[in-house]
Amino acid sequence: MTSLADHVRVGLEPLAFTHRLSTRISALVLGLLLAPGMVWLSTQLILHPDARTGTSRRARLIEGHGLLTQAWGVFCIGLAIWMVYNLISTFRSRVVLTREGIRVTTATGTRLLPWPPSRSAIAVMSKKEGSYASAVWVIAADGSASLVPGTLRTVGAPRRALAREHLRRSLVDADTIWAWALSRGLVRESGQYVDTTNREVKQYRLSPRQEQALREG
């Protein structure tokens, strides 16, 4: 099987996958700049549901409607909580390749996955629903799938050539993960097809034949 592995990264130990800088900056803007404003707005809407402080279209839409205004306030609080959670998740999430296994860290905790019996456990997903998206997922023995941070790439539908390049880069990431373990004698290809219980990954993952065609193309 032809491999597109990045041999520079294969030489790193441990090898960590984290979210890209642009993703971290976006999370910071949402969590540290916008979230406090959303909390202030939600507080005003909940405590003063019948007041109207402005004449703009937004003010007319959400202010001065009693219970409806308070419902808007609750929605804004939920949005602020999501922004903060997204910030924490973005900076905590990582996949680290070690000799002991694949360490997956999310906002809620860390677990160590044993090295899988087959390259098929490193799934490359290609999805098109309005826009193109590609990513790499690691499938555990129980069938659950964990997104590898930094491998999710999206692009608008008209930019088909760039979408293909993004997909190829995701394949490079997947091949690099397998090559890292292979070069250290941690894995051996058994030919077993590792399935997943994640419906999205199951539906959109590339088959080994599709991956090979992409490498050769």
Side-chain angles (χ1 to χ4, degrees):
M1 179 184 72
T2 306
S3 175
L4 297 179
D6 182 338
H7 295 290
V8 173
R9 287 194 294 169
V10 168
L12 300 177
E13 188 169 349
L15 174 58
F17 288 82
T18 59
H19 285 291
R20 293 187 294 274
L21 179 61
S22 59
T23 303
R24 295 187 173 209
I25 291 175
S26 297
L28 278 173
V29 171
L30 289 175
L32 298 183
L33 298 182
L34 296 184
M38 294 298 291
V39 172
W40 177 86
L41 175 61
S42 63
T43 301
Q44 297 303 307
L45 295 178
I46 292 173
L47 296 181
H48 308 288
D50 297 313
R52 182 170 292 176
T53 60
T55 59
S56 66
R57 183 178 180 182
R58 178 193 65 83
R60 293 195 302 270
L61 177 64
I62 67 175
E63 293 182 346
H65 301 295
L67 289 177
L68 179 60
T69 292
Q70 290 181 320
W72 274 113
V74 172
F75 172 79
C76 290
I77 286 180
L79 192 58
I81 292 173
W82 174 84
M83 290 177 181
V84 174
Y85 176 82
N86 180 66
L87 174 62
I88 296 172
S89 178
T90 298
F91 278 83
R92 271 189 56 84
S93 295
R94 64 187 61 243
V95 166
V96 182
L97 310 185
T98 71
R99 291 179 181 267
E100 291 73 33
I102 304 174
R103 184 173 294 110
V104 178
T105 300
T106 65
T108 57
T110 300
R111 63 173 178 162
L112 185 66
L113 307 180
W115 281 102
S118 169
R119 166 63 176 76
S120 63
I122 315 298
V124 179
M125 187 188 77
S126 176
K127 180 179 179 182
K128 179 185 177 184
E129 289 185 357
S131 62
Y132 291 98
S134 61
V136 179
W137 295 73
V138 176
I139 303 174
D142 62 1
S144 61
S146 300
L147 174 66
V148 179
T151 66
L152 175 61
R153 301 175 177 92
T154 59
V155 66
R159 307 183 69 181
R160 187 171 182 178
L162 181 57
R164 181 176 175 81
E165 178 58 28
H166 281 181
L167 181 57
R168 189 176 176 86
R169 288 168 63 187
S170 293
L171 183 56
V172 169
D173 291 330
D175 281 354
T176 298
I177 292 173
W178 186 252
W180 189 94
L182 195 63
S183 67
R184 290 161 175 79
L186 303 174
V187 293
R188 180 181 297 176
E189 181 58 63
S190 66
Q192 174 186 346
Y193 184 76
V194 180
D195 205 354
T196 177
T197 56
N198 185 304
R199 293 184 178 180
E200 185 177 39
V201 178
K202 189 181 187 72
Q203 179 178 358
Y204 295 106
R205 69 187 295 187
L206 298 183
S207 67
R209 181 175 297 180
Q210 289 173 316
E211 288 188 5
Q212 188 60 25
L214 185 62
R215 292 186 188 96
E216 296 172 351

